[in-house]
């Protein structure tokens, strides 16, 4: 009877039953009865049904909330507004004082006669009907709090601890309805493509430090020692889905809850949802082609910006994906870094490109490891020095840059067109400035920004200073206006990432350049990614020169998701663990994968879409919080239920742990 | 580039890079190339396509696994069997020694000519085609382990750590395919009923001891004190879904992952899935009617036992639910306990009932609190005393009973028909045994079993001794044969549960009766369940006499799920917390609900289906492990990946916890 299935929380017992508290009073039974006995669903109308049926002079019953404080007009008549569960509203006309003392957000069931509206726009021009009240029963009387929060309501944004009030506003509940639509379309497409949704465990096995995963203490002790053991919460079903490939499934997907314990940013949550998929006897190409169906279809159906765009084969022209033989443009990591200075470029401004001046033998002269000097020119960016200062001050604001700040030179007069380079001499040497000036064809009103980066083929600083600058430009109002070519969402692939990256030291305040530990490599994405076959032989001597078979799908400068062809050879996987990543206990950590790979695991490749991000994009909102029912704050707290919270140390002892003693 | 979305586990760094390990060797690049370069999906055939197309003498390519060790017949010819990703097999005929040295479970891509099979049943009579091998490329060579495990394969059951081998057997992968089908049908029905799937948080707020929930340490400290704070993992979305009702959503559902840290039984897992739903402006009746659509429809579509049955209105006849106006028979808790001795009776044997002998003034004489004497008669149970002993010894085996063991009397001869009651005199007094004998109409070969229980209206011992006995009978082979009336699945509702139950002491070895702490009440299901209005006034003085608006859906003696009408009145909810359950910090624990209830939460009711259990039933398997991709063992360990595991104490310090020092 005490079932695992159904109980939220059960058996609440006073810890000290001796302690007699002042008993709260049992509410009046008539009041309770009236709140629990009401007309059944069937006989209830939704307001939008009235419109459909052009109802007139009929009696109906409607459930809903009192949307605003009723207004008393004269002695015997008052007006109110009822909001039904769909968020539609109707005016109530009350000549029986039924609305008396009814506060905002009170839940009622009303009965009355429908008639066309007389006095329009009293509250809202969405009203076209009014309902003459005959009966009103209060199903839940609200306290005054919602009235006190009226200002927030009008601003359309309640404090987060009142999320349940916020969600009564159709604008916000519609985000969750759309999220559901998106999940249905995605499931539908994958089902048609013969994918199978399989649930994989969330309680997983801890991995080494650095992985930033949540831990879950268990009652299971390691024999003898009495040392506690832990589950971790999966950061993604990555290893389980590879085991599913080993299990013989061809096409797996899962709308999967994932968890990550890391410093949160505006667009991150400790728990998040991804559309996780994997295909066997398949390569990354097969996966990319699937995504080239899935994502544009979803955009066609549900995006408010219309169909999804990409670059054509020339890499110059923006066109709808479906006019591009459903192919999404593929940028290599090297192209992305040298043209846009970042691995997730915003291609709504494809012409706003960085120019490498190496071919003109302009070279950086400060740091040997960052020899490439490059510039980006903002054309027709200002008309007067005042308006330059006003609009573009952020370009060389050091606060916006982790390392060195780019040099920014506004072309304010004809002379500057040819002497601009002198300003850059502190960081770069120019053999033939004239030729460069000619090539750049600067005009008064342009802004030229310059900085340095690593040489082609080994760019690990990401974004580069000019990559950050370009991003700032396209996030600024003026930058959007001047340089964005489209309001459509623009997608591209980014491929050929470096398979491994050197560990980077935490930037110190005065570091102008990142400092790498070249003897300590990490997987750029994860250690299960296959190397490009053409780079295979570099694995031994030059692992940082190896490109991986990883692919990111980028839309509007945001990474929608990524995936890769996986390693399925146990020796190669073990070589990567031990010889490159120098994991000492790889057998203990990944023995299950190595064993599966050694017993007939087919070649496989997969992908994961950030579902929260995808929903936010399709809903046209900046924050993923808007598409979550109960998002956690920037500090990881749920302000509605107030989690996380304290736990009695006696409970911890069940798990063989205790507070850390200082 | 290091994205939250896509990484399983990233940045694996040696903790001591000084330590130089013996490098593993990079595998030969030709071998690797051959494993990663293969024919594309499009040009590959599935074996079942050959049947559809009646292929003959055409050349095809097929991906799959070598199903058995190839047999070498003579010098130049050998036979093998290929199993494709659908689990279909085809015979391979090899005259080019391509199968040489290929071990079981090796992944291959073969090319060859299809022809009708000649020598049938060499391996399996499913084979109708054979394929003359022209090319074979090894995509992953298996080691010898699968061959060593051949015996297990033939027994059809690999050791759990080889779950990925087990799942290559269609019998087992089909369970997961069916699970997916079930989820699709359920989602489809709920979508048609205008339900909205909404994801709620899994990282929740810890509740008091007893709740048996997993804890998740966080880096967030309580200001000053430096005391660590914790999330809990939701045992069900109960509170969040009630907050969704407060948020104005009418019809919510979620296929929700839930977690419970408790002593596991064969049919329980630390993480499980439930189909969770809630309706606002609705009562339990509306929810039950929805389930009376949802569950029978799902059975119609997918059950291997055919359509779902229930009892007709007389409570006597078994009929299909759809012939019963889609109504599932409603048993009250009192009826279930007095007729079947348990709150989840197996109604496939509706006539196997317990008889209360009170009306014949037969009364128990041992324990005042357990005054009711009752019997159950097993008709025509044996033909000789030997075969009675052989088949029915379990009936009075004390090990099967928590408390007192029923008295069991076989009617071995005519005399016993009238003297049987003497055997019961140690526990019960009989005023008029003759009349009872007449009434019971015992015959030779019957078995009469008797025991005691609490009086009607306050039965908390569940199951009663005879309830346990009846269950044992219906689980035994002979009991199924003699007393089960149908092989169909039989459903019933159980309603009118006691809202609260007294805490029961842990049974001591010699306790013949449960011992209750009547001053310590717990919610029978959970504290959010509404009381029956007719019992409302008993809340003050007689809470244990109150029935709750809770309903369980029981199929074949198993609880498929349960739900209730919820409390939505803040005063009443608080009265239950404080005055009845004596929760001292109810504000701290449940303030979020009380606040939401005080700001216009409509009446609501809901339900949760145990999805794993439902899938097991529909797949016709006893164990829910069969319908989980990677189930955890009875001790909560995942034997494939070997979780849970140890965590370095330095990592714990990040969370301000440490090992418990003894």
């Amino acid at each position: 009877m005490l079932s695992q299935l159904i109980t939220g929380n059960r058996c609440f017992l006073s810890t000290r039953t001796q302690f007699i508290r002042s008993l709260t009073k049992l509410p009046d039974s008539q009041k309770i009865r009236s709140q629990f006995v009401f007309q059944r669903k069937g006989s209830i109308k939704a307001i939008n049904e009235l419109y459909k049926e052009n109802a007139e002079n009929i009696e109906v019953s409607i459930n809903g909330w009192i949307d605003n404080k009723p207004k008393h007009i004269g002695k015997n008549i008052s007006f109110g507004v009822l909001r039904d569960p769909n968020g539609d509203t109707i005016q109530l006309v009350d000549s029986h004082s039924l609305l008396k003392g009814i506060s905002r957000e009170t839940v009622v069931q009303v009965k009355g006669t429908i008639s066309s509206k007389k006095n329009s726009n009293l509250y809202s021009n969405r009203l076209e009907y009014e309902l003459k009240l005959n009966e009103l029963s209060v199903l839940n009387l609200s306290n005054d709090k919602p009235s006190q929060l009226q200002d927030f309501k009008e601003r359309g944004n309640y404090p987060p601890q009142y999320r349940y009030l916020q969600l009564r506003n159709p604008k916000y509940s519609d985000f969750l309805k759309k999220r559901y639509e998106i999940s249905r379309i995605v499931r539908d497409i994958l089902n048609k493509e013969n994918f199978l949704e399989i649930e994989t465990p969330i309680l997983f096995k801890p991995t080494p430090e650095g992985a930033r995963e949540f831990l879950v203490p268990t009652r299971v002790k390691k024999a003898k020692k009495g040392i506690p053991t832990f589950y971790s919460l999966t950061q993604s079903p990555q290893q389980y889905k590879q085991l599913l490939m080993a299990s013989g499934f061809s096409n797996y997907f899962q709308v999967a809850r994932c968890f990550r314990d890391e410093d949160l940013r505006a667009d991150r949550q400790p728990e998040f949802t991804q559309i996780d998929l994997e295909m066997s006897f398949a390569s990354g190409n097969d996966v990319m082609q699937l995504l080239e169906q899935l994502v544009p279809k979803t955009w066609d159906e549900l995006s408010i910006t219309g169909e999804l765009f990409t670059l054509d084969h020339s890499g110059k022209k923006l066109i709808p994906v479906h006019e591009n033989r459903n192919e999404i443009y593929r940028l290599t990591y090297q192209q992305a870094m040298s043209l846009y200075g970042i691995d997730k470029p915003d291609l709504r401004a494809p012409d706003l490109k960085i120019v490498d001046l190496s071919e003109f033998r302009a070279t950086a002269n400060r740091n040997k490891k960052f020899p490439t000097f490059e510039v980006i020119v903002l054309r027709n960016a200002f008309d007067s020095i005042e308006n330059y200062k006003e609009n573009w001050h952020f370009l060389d604001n050091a606060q916006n840059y982790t390392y060195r700040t780019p040099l920014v030179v506004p072309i304010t007069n004809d002379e500057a067109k040819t002497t601009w380079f002198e300003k850059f001499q502190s960081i770069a040497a120019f053999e033939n400035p004239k030729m460069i000036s000619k090539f750049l064809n600067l005009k008064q009103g342009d802004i030229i920004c310059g900085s340095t980066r690593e040489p082609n083929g080994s760019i690990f600083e990401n974004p580069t200073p000019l990559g950050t600058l370009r991003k700032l430009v396209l996030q600024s109002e003026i930058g959007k206006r001047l340089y964005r070519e489209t309001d459509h969402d623009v997608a591209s692939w980014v491929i050929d990432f470096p398979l491994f990256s050197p560990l980077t030291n935490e930037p110190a305040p005065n570091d102008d350049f990142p400092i790498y530990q070249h003897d300590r490599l990490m997987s750029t994405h994860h250690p299960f990614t296959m190397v490009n076959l053409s780079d295979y032989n570099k694995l031994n001597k030059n692992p940082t020169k190896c490109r991986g078979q990883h692919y990111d799908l980028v839309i509007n400068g945001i990474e929608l998701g990524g995936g890769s062809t996986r390693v399925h050879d146990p020796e190669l996987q073990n070589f990567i663990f031990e010889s490159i990543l120098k994991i000492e206990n790889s057998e203990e950590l990944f023995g299950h994968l190595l064993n599966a790979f050694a017993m007939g695991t087919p070649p496989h490749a997969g992908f994961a879409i950030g579902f929260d991000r995808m929903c936010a994009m399709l809903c046209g909102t900046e924050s993923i919080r808007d598409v979550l029912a109960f998002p956690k704050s920037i500090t990881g707290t749920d302000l509605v239920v107030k989690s996380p919270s304290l736990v009695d140390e006696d409970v911890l002892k069940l798990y063989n742990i205790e507070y850390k003693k200082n």
Side-chain angles (χ1 to χ4, degrees), chain A residues 178 295-296 298-310 320-321 348 484 486-491 555-556 614-622:
Chain A
K178 186 154 186 173
V295 174
T298 312
W299 248 255
D300 281 359
E301 299 239 18
L302 289 175
S303 168
I304 53 183
T305 66
E307 57 187 331
L308 189 64
F309 274 56
T310 190
V321 172
R348 288 173 295 186
R484 242 197 219 178
T486 178
D487 293 330
H488 283 93
D489 298 325
V490 180
I555 298 183
N556 303 347
M614 183 180 183
C615 291
M617 277 191 191
L618 289 167
C619 289
T621 171
E622 291 286 309

Side-chain angles (χ1 to χ4, degrees), chain A residues 448-575:
Chain A
I448 180 168
C449 316
S451 188
T452 58
R453 65 162 166 89
E454 292 154 294
N456 292 349
S458 54
I459 308 179
F460 295 107
E461 186 186 24
N462 172 24
T464 62
L466 290 190
T468 303
L469 181 141
R470 181 179 183 275
K471 197 173 165 200
L472 293 167
V473 168
L474 291 174
Q475 284 170 349
S476 69
E477 280 318 310
I478 184 170
K480 285 180 194 166
R481 204 175 65 243
L482 292 175
Y483 305 114
R484 242 197 219 178
E485 289 181 24
T486 178
D487 293 330
H488 283 93
D489 298 325
V490 180
S492 71
W493 291 108
V494 178
I495 59 172
D496 292 341
F497 285 85
L499 185 56
F500 306 105
S501 315
L503 181 68
T504 312
N505 293 353
E506 275 303 306
N510 300 329
D511 285 352
D512 272 351
F513 299 91
I515 296 164
Y516 303 119
Q517 299 183 24
H518 286 283
D519 59 341
R520 297 184 67 186
L521 299 185
M522 52 189 273
S523 295
T524 306
H525 294 97
H526 59 55
F528 316 112
T529 308
M530 182 58 187
V531 63
N532 282 12
L533 287 174
S534 54
D535 293 339
Y536 185 77
N537 291 321
K538 298 188 195 138
L539 276 177
N540 255 330
K541 301 255 173 316
N542 273 321
T544 57
K545 295 269 184 254
C546 293
R547 291 158 299 170
Q549 295 190 37
H550 177 94
Y551 32 88
D552 273 355
L553 180 57
V554 176
I555 298 183
N556 303 347
I558 292 165
E559 179 189 334
L560 185 72
S564 59
T565 303
R566 324 296 188 184
V567 175
H568 69 283
D569 180 88
E571 293 171 33
L572 176 55
Q573 184 67 79
N574 200 42
F575 178 85

Side-chain angles (χ1 to χ4, degrees), chain A residues 67 90 115 147 190 230 297 331 415 459 461 496 576-577:
Chain A
D67 194 55
I90 187 168
S115 64
S147 307
L190 289 171
F230 297 79
K297 248 187 210 157
L331 265 174
E415 192 220 346
I459 308 179
E461 186 186 24
D496 292 341
I576 291 169
F577 287 149

Side-chain angles (χ1 to χ4, degrees), chain A residues 76-189:
Chain A
N76 313 334
I77 189 131
S78 55
F79 293 105
V81 175
L82 180 73
R83 186 185 69 246
D84 78 1
N86 300 326
D88 297 320
T89 53
I90 187 168
Q91 182 172 323
L92 304 175
V93 181
D94 172 22
S95 50
H96 310 296
S97 313
L98 297 170
L99 290 171
K100 208 163 192 182
I102 304 267
S103 46
R104 262 199 65 214
E105 295 304 325
T106 289
V107 180
V108 296
Q109 180 170 82
V110 298
K111 190 179 230 171
T113 317
I114 288 297
S115 64
S116 298
K117 180 161 149 296
K118 294 181 187 51
N119 43 359
S120 68
N121 298 331
L122 178 54
Y123 294 95
S124 134
N125 48 27
R126 294 180 56 221
L127 286 177
E128 293 175 14
Y129 278 104
E130 65 181 23
L131 183 135
K132 284 201 167 38
L133 276 180
N134 303 333
E135 293 172 31
L136 178 146
S137 57
V138 171
L139 301 182
N140 182 286
L141 184 67
S142 174
N143 63 20
D144 294 341
K145 195 75 194 169
S147 307
Q148 293 158 16
L149 295 169
Q150 178 71 21
D151 301 356
F152 292 95
K153 184 193 182 191
E154 275 148 21
R155 263 181 267 126
N157 232 319
Y158 285 97
Q161 62 267 39
Y162 299 108
R163 178 69 174 163
Y164 43 86
L165 295 181
Q166 177 94 310
L167 285 169
R168 292 181 199 170
N169 175 340
K171 178 190 164 192
Y172 291 93
S173 53
D174 284 352
F175 287 145
L176 297 187
K177 288 174 183 166
K178 186 154 186 173
R179 182 185 174 110
Y180 173 54
E181 287 307 309
I182 298 165
S183 74
R184 286 186 50 235
I185 284 177
V186 168
R187 278 198 166 92
D188 192 45
I189 293 170

